[in-house]
Amino acid sequence: MNKAFLACITAALFCSPLLGQQQTSAPTANAQSSELDQRIRELEDRVIALEGKIRTIESEKAATAQPQPPQRGTQPEAGAAAQTTVPSPSATVPSPAVANETQAGLANAAGQLPVYGGNSAASKALNPDISVIGDFIGAAGGNTPPPLATLQPFPSLEMHESEIGLQAIIDPYARGDFFISFGEEGVNLEEGYITFTSLPAGFVAKVGKMRSAFGKVNMMHNHVMPWVDRPLVTTNLVGGEDGIDDAGFSLERILPAPKGIFLEATGQVFRGDSDDVFQHVQRSDVSTVEHLRAYRDITESTNLDLGFSYARGHNDGTFALRGDFITQLYGADATVRWKPLRRSIYHSFVGRTELIWSQRQQLPSEQRAFGFYSSADYQFGRRWFTGVRFDHSDRSQFANLRDHGLAATLTYWPSEFSQVRGEYRFTHYAENRDSNELFMQLIFSLGAHGAHPF
């Protein structure tokens, strides 16, 4: 009897903590249960909404089918009549989403939601993104360049360029980009190439006609430049507006670098025809371009971009003495960008400079020319920008002739799709001749135009 009594007391002592634990954990269990019930109700609401969308799509498909009405005197079969007169229970209960849209006045009498952009989206499924960019320039002032000068003045009014862009993803491994330029003198394929983005070892390849990766300005289209014209060094040594733009292929890869530094190497091979820079006579007269780029964020608001370029190709000599000679170009560029992300979001600064050395073989002697430009562009308002640029350049075929220039710009952006720019340009030619000009530029964009290289 005593043993039984002791056993009961021991069992009671062991069970009392367990009962207390169950009592203390009961509120927690109830909270978890209510949270689980809430999630289940949310999932049920989502399922009901999805069912409503599916029924809406099926009803739209049935409406577009447009079945032929039965002929007079014919009676439908009994089974068919039963199927058409007795709707399913699920079809008679609208989903909460449809009910809400109907109360808001967005659904029609049948409870179906309107379709916005459905047909246009389907029609664009296999079409590329199409854009048109217009570049209109007006000029005033005097500019009579000397006979040997490469800089040519703008006419008083000119639709300088209309660029059509066609861009699309071809497949998971490649994309295509075409830019066709329509000017007053004709049509030109500015760029047209395919980019392979999924090559082994991290390589990216381009095949087609493209602007070479020599420096900064040579890669820019007219509508992305912060000036109306191009710097003198680009005009005198790198072919001007078209620059080194040729058919060929490009291979680039990101290289390992210390932490915080982006390092990219690019190698390109072209046919060898680039206006006044390179000319090829036979198939072996190809031109090559190599570029090394280093980028680093200095602070949260400031970054530095450095580049080194080299180009080599054939030229046909001078105007009077033709022949097969070599032209070599060396370049270095630096860009500093500042744009605060937390304060003064409508203020920014971009400083650029580019130095180019040219070694051109020709008769009677090799010409060694040098040129550079330095520019500063500042955003002082939400839509207002101003800038200044200084030019200094020899001429590639006459290295003893040196031109200087100065330009000041003021740009207003009514929106992201248009900009109005005014520019004053002063040019001092080597022949001791000066020019003062005023430019007005209007750029506008239609359609989806992809971003250009940063």
Side-chain angles (χ1 to χ4, degrees):
M1 183 70 181
N2 293 331
K3 293 182 179 180
F5 181 75
L6 292 174
C8 293
I9 292 175
T10 303
L13 291 174
F14 278 104
C15 293
S16 58
L18 296 176
L19 292 174
Q21 183 177 2
Q22 290 177 359
Q23 292 176 0
T24 55
S25 61
T28 305
N30 294 334
Q32 294 178 352
S33 178
S34 60
E35 182 179 358
L36 181 61
D37 293 339
Q38 179 65 24
R39 292 182 179 180
I40 292 175
R41 286 193 295 269
E42 292 177 356
L43 292 176
E44 289 176 350
D45 294 339
R46 293 181 181 181
V47 171
I48 293 174
L50 291 174
E51 289 178 351
K53 292 181 179 180
I54 293 175
R55 287 194 297 270
T56 302
I57 295 174
E58 292 177 350
S59 62
E60 291 175 354
K61 291 182 178 179
T64 55
Q66 295 182 356
Q68 296 293 333
Q71 298 179 358
R72 295 182 179 179
T74 59
Q75 298 294 331
E77 297 180 358
Q83 294 178 1
T84 56
T85 57
V86 182
S88 61
S90 61
T92 59
V93 181
S95 65
V98 176
N100 294 336
E101 298 292 348
T102 305
Q103 293 176 2
L106 299 178
N108 55 22
Q112 299 177 1
L113 294 174
V115 179
Y116 300 102
N119 296 332
S120 61
S123 63
K124 290 181 59 179
L126 299 178
N127 291 333
D129 292 333
I130 302 175
S131 63
V132 180
I133 296 180
D135 181 7
F136 180 86
I137 297 177
N143 185 359
T144 305
L148 299 180
T150 55
L151 178 64
Q152 299 299 321
F154 291 106
S156 58
L157 297 171
E158 178 187 25
M159 189 64 188
H160 186 63
E161 183 183 59
S162 300
E163 179 184 288
I164 296 180
L166 305 171
Q167 300 174 279
I169 301 295
I170 299 175
D171 52 39
Y173 314 102
R175 62 168 290 120
D177 297 89
F178 277 81
F179 302 100
I180 305 172
S181 176
F182 292 82
E184 295 185 355
E185 298 180 356
V187 181
N188 175 45
L189 177 62
E190 188 169 1
E191 289 189 284
Y193 55 86
I194 180 175
T195 304
F196 298 96
T197 58
S198 302
L199 297 180
F203 284 97
V204 176
K206 296 180 182 179
V207 179
K209 184 183 180 184
M210 69 199 80
R211 288 183 171 271
S212 73
F214 187 91
K216 283 292 185 183
V217 175
N218 186 77
M219 298 180 62
M220 292 182 179
H221 290 204
N222 291 333
H223 60 88
V224 299
M225 293 194 307
W227 325 289
V228 177
D229 61 335
R230 292 180 181 262
L232 279 175
V233 63
T234 302
T235 304
N236 289 352
L237 303 182
V238 198
E241 184 172 317
D242 291 331
I244 306 176
D245 182 8
D246 200 0
F249 66 89
S250 172
L251 194 65
E252 60 188 55
R253 186 180 187 274
I254 299 176
L255 302 178
K259 185 177 181 180
I261 297 179
F262 171 83
L263 193 62
E264 182 186 51
T266 303
Q268 299 174 321
V269 178
F270 296 105
R271 180 178 59 203
D273 286 325
S274 298
D275 283 348
D276 298 330
V277 185
F278 303 128
Q279 288 85 27
H280 92 290
V281 179
Q282 51 188 355
R283 292 180 177 176
S284 60
D285 293 345
V286 298
S287 61
T288 60
V289 176
E290 292 79 31
H291 182 74
L292 181 64
R293 178 190 180 191
Y295 173 91
R296 179 181 173 83
D297 289 324
I298 301 175
T299 65
E300 184 185 57
S301 306
T302 309
N303 59 70
L304 177 63
D305 194 345
L306 300 176
F308 304 93
S309 307
Y310 171 75
R312 181 185 185 277
H314 294 256
N315 69 76
D316 58 355
T318 61
F319 297 108
L321 300 174
R322 299 291 179 176
D324 185 14
F325 304 97
I326 300 296
T327 295
Q328 298 183 82
L329 298 174
Y330 304 85
D333 60 85
T335 304
V336 177
R337 303 178 183 88
W338 172 79
K339 186 173 182 62
L341 302 179
R342 300 182 181 181
R343 297 181 178 180
S344 302
I345 59 175
Y346 296 127
H347 295 273
S348 63
F349 173 82
V350 179
R352 301 180 179 89
T353 187
E354 192 167 349
L355 300 88
I356 299 176
W357 294 264
S358 172
Q359 295 183 6
R360 178 185 171 89
Q361 295 180 356
Q362 65 182 44
L363 295 176
S365 63
E366 181 181 74
Q367 299 294 308
R368 294 175 176 264
F370 168 74
F372 75 93
Y373 76 88
S374 295
S375 68
D377 298 284
Y378 179 69
Q379 178 186 8
F380 62 91
R382 181 174 182 177
R383 303 184 185 277
W384 290 95
F385 297 78
T386 186
V388 63
R389 187 189 76 226
F390 176 75
D391 295 331
H392 170 101
S393 177
D394 304 332
R395 300 177 191 173
S396 61
Q397 298 186 22
F398 307 95
N400 60 321
L401 300 179
R402 181 171 300 167
D403 303 324
H404 301 275
L406 182 68
T409 61
L410 179 64
T411 305
Y412 173 71
W413 290 72
S415 70
E416 292 80 3
F417 307 100
S418 62
Q419 53 181 303
V420 181
R421 177 177 292 118
E423 177 178 329
Y424 165 75
R425 183 177 73 178
F426 168 78
T427 306
H428 176 76
Y429 294 101
E431 292 84 354
N432 200 24
R433 184 179 299 180
D434 296 338
S435 69
N436 295 273
E437 299 172 277
L438 288 175
F439 302 134
M440 187 278 293
Q441 183 182 39
L442 173 62
I443 297 177
F444 52 93
S445 175
L446 291 73
H449 191 84
H452 290 280
F454 173 71

